[in-house]
Amino acid sequence: PSVTGFNEISLVVCVIRVGDAHRRIALMNKEKNNLEEAKLAFETSIRCLESTNIETRLSLKVDDESHLESIHQDQVDGMLLSCYENMMDMISPSEAECKVSTNRKWWNFSKDNQDLCVDDGIQDGLTREDLLFRLGNISAKRKKFDSAIRCFIQARQLTEDKLGTADHPIIGNILFNLGNVYRQMNKVHTAENEINTKNLGIDAFVESLRITKLSSGPDSLVAAEVMESLASLLMEDDTKLSEVSRTDNDGAIKFLRDAVAIRDKHRSEMSLQYSLSVHHLGVLRLRHILEECNVNIFRDMSILDEAVFYLSQALHIRRIILGDHLDAAESANFLGVALWKKRTLSDEIENNNEEIMHDAMKHLDDALFIRMSVLERESRCISNDSNSQHLETSADIIDIGSIVVKTVQNLYDIACIRETQRDFETQHKFLDDALQLMEKWTKNQNQGN
């Protein structure tokens, strides 16, 4: 039937309600037909909610006057979670043992208009392992890490039993997502748990990489993605466990260089993932200097040249793709520090370093401008009690506290440069700004904002 005037998400809500009605009837009367209709409705809803056009800006008809209200991604995730759980309840263990293909009618949403139609065809329903994999992803997004890990481990076991092999790309994909969950846990867990969490994540990524190389080839972009995630995890304990940090840095650099080489072969240099890899390489080379400086001035200068090269690449790509984004600020800040350290070292072997210092200050100022602009917008949102309308980049900004910390570090870096220039008045100004910023946002946090 024609339903012009409704949008796609409204149709999904209707289909979910149809599925829930069939499920309730099936539970009361134990009718198999109603159970199949319920599965059909939930599977159709899942397909639509998982599609890319739904993940952008969604709206929902909420009253008779056709008032449109924005739906955030977490609401879509909530609808998906409900569908997954309902499907899991309706799939018995005996059904999960084999993959059944049947003639079924599917609810379809046509792309040309928003009419709802039914299409005949042979389709395979979602299996228990499919749903466990999806539940793991949703749980990870909602930071329910223990639940996500259980889902991925069960999905892996069921898939291995069904396929009769552990070397299948589906297993590699499950392990990749499992590794990312451990990586997220490693950022938030206490020090006693971090080593174990990190090691579990490394094991998952290493096995995923092995399977990926077998199935997709050692120079595939999928392999590069696994290497990049593994390198990110190897980097993370650096400031916490100095005993392991050197080995981790070396391993991270190796995997990142391999990933960058693969992306160069595939001509995917102008991508955000490429910019992240070269950014991390630059940070690792800079970190080496900050931890082990003055071992050999010429060797240190060579390492700093590497850091500047990688960070310049990252900043260039991020500026083109993102503009004045926090990721661009991150690269600009580290590039400014790398240039400043290079200028400090070059004092002993060169005479004219003013150009290097000028570039260092420019990048640090650019980073500060972007971060302060973001914080000012967020501050206005808090002042206006506009909790539902955060930053335009709210999907990218997860923790405003981390932005404050990085902005304070940014101010401190500029103050340190001013100190080396013996401009103590400006140095004190930037230090005061850093303290005031910390006090302001600490107060906001204590007030629950």
Side-chain angles (χ1 to χ4, degrees):
S2 175
V3 284
T4 306
F6 279 74
N7 48 47
E8 200 165 355
I9 191 66
S10 302
L11 296 175
V12 175
V13 173
C14 292
V15 175
I16 289 174
R17 289 175 180 170
V18 169
D20 191 52
H22 279 297
R23 183 183 65 85
R24 290 171 184 269
I25 294 170
L27 289 174
M28 288 187 294
N29 302 331
K30 296 184 179 180
E31 293 183 6
K32 189 174 181 181
N33 288 340
N34 278 298
L35 193 63
E36 288 301 314
E37 291 294 336
K39 290 179 183 178
L40 168 63
F42 287 125
E43 287 177 350
T44 304
S45 301
I46 288 169
R47 286 181 171 210
C48 191
L49 288 168
E50 289 178 344
S51 64
T52 53
N53 58 328
I54 280 293
E55 290 176 0
T56 53
R57 186 171 293 276
L58 303 173
S59 54
L60 172 67
K61 180 178 171 62
V62 292
D63 59 32
D64 293 336
E65 298 177 357
S66 300
H67 173 69
L68 295 180
E69 181 179 279
S70 173
I71 293 187
H72 298 294
Q73 187 61 45
D74 61 338
Q75 292 174 282
V76 175
D77 290 342
M79 295 167 72
L80 275 169
L81 182 62
S82 175
C83 291
Y84 296 153
E85 289 174 341
N86 278 311
M87 284 291 296
M88 283 291 290
D89 289 341
M90 291 186 292
I91 296 179
S92 66
S94 58
E95 282 184 273
E97 291 174 2
C98 59
K99 193 170 186 179
V100 181
S101 178
T102 56
N103 287 309
R104 312 182 66 181
K105 290 180 180 291
W106 286 88
W107 298 67
N108 285 334
F109 300 96
S110 63
K111 294 180 180 178
D112 297 329
N113 55 60
Q114 292 178 328
D115 292 353
L116 193 64
C117 57
V118 177
D119 181 37
D120 292 320
I122 298 175
Q123 302 285 351
D124 292 327
L126 289 170
T127 62
R128 182 174 286 270
E129 54 269 25
D130 293 331
L131 292 165
L132 284 166
F133 179 73
R134 287 164 164 81
L135 279 168
N137 290 335
I138 290 286
S139 298
K141 286 180 71 174
R142 295 187 159 205
K143 300 190 184 303
K144 296 179 179 179
F145 300 129
D146 291 336
S147 174
I149 289 169
R150 283 195 300 272
C151 288
F152 286 134
I153 289 175
Q154 289 179 50
R156 178 188 181 184
Q157 291 170 344
L158 286 173
T159 305
E160 286 183 0
D161 291 343
K162 182 170 288 187
L163 296 174
T165 178
D167 292 342
H168 193 280
I170 293 175
I171 305 295
N173 198 22
I174 294 171
L175 286 167
F176 176 72
N177 286 18
L178 178 61
N180 278 317
V181 173
Y182 284 128
R183 184 157 66 98
Q184 290 181 64
M185 290 179 71
N186 191 54
K187 295 177 181 178
V188 297
H189 269 203
T190 57
E192 308 88 69
N193 298 328
E194 278 172 351
I195 299 176
N196 186 40
T197 305
K198 180 186 175 185
N199 288 342
L200 289 170
I202 291 172
D203 290 344
F205 282 134
V206 168
E207 182 63 6
S208 176
L209 183 59
R210 183 189 70 80
I211 295 170
T212 301
K213 286 182 174 180
L214 284 175
S215 58
S216 303
D219 292 335
S220 65
L221 287 173
V222 184
E225 188 176 356
V226 181
M227 292 175 191
E228 287 156 348
S229 292
L230 176 54
S232 295
L233 181 55
L234 289 170
M235 290 174 63
E236 280 172 8
D237 277 343
D238 219 47
T239 56
K240 308 182 188 81
L241 303 167
S242 58
E243 196 65 32
V244 213
S245 65
R246 293 185 189 88
T247 306
D248 287 349
N249 278 343
D250 291 343
I253 289 171
K254 175 190 178 298
F255 284 117
L256 285 170
R257 282 178 170 160
D258 289 346
V260 167
I262 291 171
R263 292 191 179 276
D264 283 335
K265 287 181 182 178
H266 289 268
R267 298 187 177 277
S268 59
E269 304 96 321
M270 287 303 295
S271 67
L272 291 177
Q273 189 55 58
Y274 186 91
S275 73
L276 181 62
S277 292
V278 290
H279 172 85
H280 281 160
L281 276 171
V283 170
L284 285 168
R285 301 315 280 153
L286 176 60
R287 187 177 290 171
H288 182 90
I289 292 298
L290 296 177
E291 292 174 354
E292 301 181 20
C293 192
N294 297 324
V295 175
N296 180 303
I297 190 169
F298 293 102
R299 189 212 61 165
D300 290 347
M301 185 63 76
S302 175
I303 293 173
L304 276 172
D305 285 338
E306 275 189 84
V308 169
F309 172 74
Y310 288 129
L311 290 166
S312 297
Q313 273 190 301
L315 180 59
H316 175 69
I317 296 168
R318 287 173 168 181
R319 279 288 198 187
I320 290 175
I321 298 176
L322 300 173
D324 288 341
H325 189 275
L326 287 169
D327 287 347
E330 188 87 349
S331 295
N333 195 158
F334 279 112
L335 179 55
V337 173
L339 288 167
W340 170 37
K341 293 298 179 183
K342 182 178 177 180
R343 192 263 186 189
T344 303
L345 278 180
S346 64
D347 277 343
E348 301 182 24
I349 54 177
E350 295 178 10
N351 296 321
N352 185 11
N353 303 309
E354 291 307 313
E355 187 176 345
I356 298 177
M357 182 61 80
H358 176 269
D359 289 343
M361 283 301 304
K362 178 184 179 302
H363 290 304
L364 287 169
D365 287 340
D366 287 348
L368 183 62
F369 172 78
I370 295 171
R371 286 168 171 157
M372 291 300 292
S373 297
V374 169
L375 291 175
E376 284 172 13
R377 290 200 300 271
E378 182 69 6
S379 183
R380 285 197 297 270
C381 286
I382 292 173
S383 300
N384 297 329
D385 292 324
S386 305
N387 294 327
S388 62
Q389 296 185 14
H390 279 273
L391 306 175
E392 293 178 5
T393 55
S394 59
D396 301 319
I397 300 172
I398 300 171
D399 181 10
I400 198 70
S402 67
I403 303 172
V404 174
V405 171
K406 290 175 181 179
T407 306
V408 169
Q409 181 64 50
N410 200 158
L411 288 162
Y412 178 75
D413 290 336
I414 295 174
C416 288
I417 291 180
R418 293 303 185 190
E419 182 183 19
T420 62
Q421 296 175 324
R422 306 189 67 79
D423 185 355
F424 300 119
E425 183 177 347
T426 306
Q427 177 204 12
H428 291 158
K429 175 186 177 301
F430 279 103
L431 291 174
D432 285 340
D433 288 346
L435 287 171
Q436 289 175 21
L437 183 64
M438 289 172 65
E439 289 172 0
K440 173 185 175 181
W441 286 94
T442 301
K443 183 180 178 181
N444 283 338
Q445 186 180 34
N446 292 337
Q447 292 175 348
N449 292 326

